[in-house]
Amino acid sequence: MTETARVTTFESRSRADAVREWALAHWFALGVAGVTAVAAAFLLHQLMAWPPHEDETLALFVGRNSASGVIEQVTRERGGAPLHFIIAWGVAHLGFGLGGLRYVSAAFALASLPLIALLGRRLVGPLPALVATVLVAASWGFLFHGVYGRMYSLFLFLSAATFLALLRALDRGGRGPWALWVAATLLCVSAHPYGALVLAVQLAYILVARRDRLRSAAWSFGAVAVLGIPFWITDLVLAGRFDVGVGSGSVDKLGGPWEIARYLARSAGDFSSGWWPVLAAVLVLAAIGFVTAGREARLLVAAAVLVPTLAFSAARLGGSASPESRHLIFVLPLFAVLVAVGLLRVTSRAPVLAVLAVSALVFAEVAWAWHRTSPLFEWEPDARQAARAEAESFLATTSLPDDILFGYEPLYLGAWERARDFPRTVLPRADHRLALRTLERHAPALGRGVWVLDASERNNVRPRLEIEALAPKPAEAFETRAFGPFLVLRTRDPVGSIDRYLGFAASAMVVGRSLGIGDADINLLTIERADRIQRGYGASRRLRSDTSR
């Protein structure tokens, strides 16, 4: 070998050694970046796989208003998550539609992964933190809400940010770290009503684990309490709409310890894998992780589980307010941290076994996500996509600005994306008071009534891709068009009065019930309750299908 060749070989080895040393020094950041890149590839590729949903339609239709109109509607009528609706307002006015809203969800989901990794490293160290990040990225809770155009990936991101900011403020003290925590927490409570639970969890943690910082924390919690008043008001508006409170007096969907335990188990399943043998193993790993982790991590996780449990025990939940696993998405990072610590503890003497165990758990998580929401992986059936496009085009080209839409049907969203002057008046199908107020605002100049029945919904008696073109009574008053599983019902003439609209709406829902549409009974109940208030009746009565009143 010549001298030149030896020098070249030496330089190549030196560069390789330097790269290897750099990679070893930055393995945590590289691992997190790799997990985020894989998650990004999936979310962006599958962004539009899941069919449009009524809650995404709701956000964008509210976002069609002016900024002041959005704020007024959220704070006075709807309640809920102001930040989410402001983001939807931006997406709607930039003309991005559903795709833009889902890109925002994907962006916040992906941005949450580095925060989760940093939170895990702060609590239990880099290796368990990296494993926890992998487990979060493969879970149904992350994958589904990464493409779902609602507020849950935003809530995940902001809750992780506020936990990190809290730990930093407790470590360092001072105005700067606490001001950062206040800002992150205000954003968190503006993103979801359950942000109040995040705040309560953190207060409980400080009271138990960091009473040495209680005085400095009190000023910051006070600032959040005062500055967050607009958000507490919106939460109260939402609670009033769905009859949520404390104590007895309504339908309680978490009526006791057993129901709460089942709810927590379902949430753990959606954060890992919901099949009971896998879930049982995961819960054992989480228990081992809880015992193994340091005091700080144990107390924070205990607060994150016990505070919501106590809140649900005291809560009175109306029939439409049943909590789902998504409402506890802020617990997902902490749960994954415990599982990661337990898994690494069990396999500490066999690194190969650890890799196999993580791989098996990731496989089980993805399989559960596929089982839980198969269209997220398989896409919407071609026949349904084609029928949906045809129905959207029909609505876009034949609707009038004063038409009255019932429910935030996804077909309306597609029609609006095709025709920006698509009708704006939508009656919520699960809130009879708000539906009636909406009718009263537009009476007596009420336009044509429009209803959509979808035979392919999973909650139907028999989901199918074709629907019969049945006409409500009186048939001569309605225009009826079927598009695959979608049946569009529309009155031929403006309904004029509230009474006539409610009568026509009842007839449309009677047809839906006869076709086995799962939501028809709920919708009919909304119409009946609105009718009782409109007519001043206190007792329950059934609406007559006859619309000649």
Side-chain angles (χ1 to χ4, degrees), residues 50 53-55 139-142 144-146 148-157 159 191-195 197-198 238 242 263-264 266-271 312 320-333 372-373:
W50 192 58
H53 191 269
E54 64 178 321
D55 289 332
S139 68
W140 176 86
F142 176 86
F144 175 68
H145 293 102
Y148 188 17
R150 291 194 72 190
M151 71 288 288
Y152 292 99
S153 62
L154 173 65
F155 187 35
L156 175 64
F157 171 80
S159 60
H192 197 283
Y194 277 51
L197 278 183
V198 176
L238 182 66
F242 293 106
Y263 166 62
L264 294 176
R266 288 196 303 270
S267 299
D270 285 341
F271 295 163
F312 292 138
S320 301
S322 178
E324 304 289 345
S325 61
R326 61 180 179 264
H327 296 118
L328 291 183
I329 198 168
F330 64 91
V331 183
L332 172 57
R372 183 85 156 77
T373 311

Side-chain angles (χ1 to χ4, degrees), residues 38-53:
V38 172
F42 176 86
L43 293 181
L44 296 180
H45 186 271
Q46 300 297 115
L47 192 70
M48 304 303 292
W50 192 58
H53 191 269

Side-chain angles (χ1 to χ4, degrees), residues 290-378:
F290 184 81
V291 173
T292 306
R295 178 177 180 272
E296 182 181 53
R298 285 201 305 271
L299 293 177
L300 187 58
V301 172
V305 174
L306 291 178
V307 168
T309 300
L310 294 175
F312 292 138
S313 298
R316 185 193 73 238
L317 303 175
S320 301
S322 178
E324 304 289 345
S325 61
R326 61 180 179 264
H327 296 118
L328 291 183
I329 198 168
F330 64 91
V331 183
L332 172 57
L334 300 174
F335 178 73
V337 163
L338 285 190
V339 175
V341 171
L343 188 151
L344 292 175
R345 177 70 174 181
V346 170
T347 60
S348 59
R349 296 185 179 181
V352 174
L353 182 59
V355 173
L356 292 176
V358 172
S359 301
L361 186 50
V362 167
F363 178 82
E365 287 185 327
V366 174
W368 174 253
W370 199 319
H371 169 78
R372 183 85 156 77
T373 311
S374 56
L376 179 60
F377 296 83
E378 300 171 0

